[in-house]
Amino acid sequence: MNAIAKAVRLDRLRMTANGMLSMLVMAALPPAFVLLLGGFDGVSIVVTGVIEGMLMTVPAALTMNLFVYEDQNNHRQMNAIVPIARQYQLVGRYLIMAVVDVCAVMDFALCIGLTYVVGGGTDLTSALVGLAVVFGGSIVMESILLPLMYRFSSAEIVLLLMVGLMLVVFALCALALLFKAQVTAIVACLGAHVFVLMPLTVPIGVAFVAIVVAASLSISLRIYLRKEL
């Protein structure tokens, strides 16, 4: 546990190496977005969706920045000599990921509270689903990203993400246009079942996230232990 705590502290120092101001600004943007636009009629749902997207990508960006920091300052070589075994360094980074995700959920909860203040709040069930989406979505996104970051350099990952995201967006747009009626029906069906079958949806979602994290941790550990630093 002591080694993991040291690894977490090392990554925390890396994450805040450029000061806390940028992180505070990122945390303040979603609530500011709510206060600016949440009071307009008919936009509360759109605002909530945008904030969910923002708060799922920000933790991934912060986690990715740890690897960028290592590449820019040659800290990857330092990782080979710090008195912390590689497996504990890796576990510490996954714990940092979880802490950032919890902070994102707290930020989203603040945004939900502000939507009630400005008059465009959603019901409790929708709010809870939104919190689960932000937390689970950010964890899954980072769990997919972390093995790639351990395998490739940060510059290669940025290029890969740019190309991959464009391809995914184009593919989804093409499918939505070609099968508009079917996509609408599937989304409506899934949306209804998420709320109606909540006792079944929650454990399935938790199990899915746990499997993704376990697979990601196993792959990252295998890559990191074999990699030259």
Side-chain angles (χ1 to χ4, degrees):
M1 288 299 295
N2 188 38
I4 295 176
K6 289 180 179 179
V8 170
R9 183 174 181 272
L10 182 60
D11 274 349
R12 180 183 62 80
L13 292 173
R14 286 169 176 164
M15 188 173 287
T16 59
N18 295 321
M20 291 291 296
L21 181 60
S22 59
M23 298 181 66
L24 292 175
V25 169
M26 284 190 290
L29 282 177
F33 191 66
V34 172
L35 293 175
L36 288 173
L37 299 178
F40 290 94
D41 293 336
V43 300
S44 60
I45 295 177
V46 176
V47 170
T48 302
V50 171
I51 291 172
E52 286 181 4
M54 290 171 62
L55 290 176
M56 281 192 290
T57 55
V58 167
L62 289 174
T63 303
M64 184 175 174
N65 189 55
L66 290 172
F67 293 90
V68 175
Y69 185 87
E70 286 178 341
D71 287 343
Q72 291 177 341
N73 296 280
N74 295 321
H75 277 205
R76 290 205 184 210
Q77 287 75 16
M78 190 188 76
N79 287 342
I81 61 174
V82 294
I84 306 172
R86 290 193 188 186
Q87 61 267 31
Y88 297 129
Q89 294 178 31
L90 189 141
V91 171
R93 185 148 299 182
Y94 273 76
L95 288 177
I96 280 285
M97 174 191 79
V99 170
V100 173
D101 293 333
V102 170
C103 292
V105 170
M106 294 171 62
D107 204 9
F108 186 61
L110 174 61
C111 293
I112 292 175
L114 290 175
T115 58
Y116 284 95
V117 174
V118 298
T122 57
D123 61 272
L124 179 60
T125 303
S126 298
L128 292 175
V129 169
L131 291 171
V133 168
V134 169
F135 187 63
S138 58
I139 285 181
V140 170
M141 189 180 301
E142 290 165 300
S143 296
I144 295 172
L145 180 64
L146 277 167
L148 295 175
M149 295 300 298
Y150 279 111
R151 174 61 181 84
F152 303 102
S153 69
S154 55
E156 292 172 326
I157 288 299
V158 170
L159 179 61
L160 180 63
L161 287 177
M162 289 175 62
V163 175
L165 285 174
M166 285 191 295
L167 292 176
V168 169
V169 170
F170 283 133
L172 290 176
C173 290
L175 289 174
L177 291 173
L178 291 173
F179 305 100
K180 183 177 180 180
Q182 291 86 344
V183 170
T184 303
I186 291 173
V187 171
C189 181
L190 289 176
H193 282 79
V194 164
F195 290 100
V196 175
L197 300 177
M198 194 67 72
L200 181 62
T201 303
V202 171
I204 291 176
V206 171
F208 173 74
V209 172
I211 291 171
V212 171
V213 172
S216 173
L217 186 60
S218 176
I219 295 170
S220 294
L221 184 60
R222 186 172 182 177
I223 294 171
Y224 196 45
L225 290 178
R226 292 185 177 184
K227 194 169 187 177
E228 293 290 335
L229 296 179

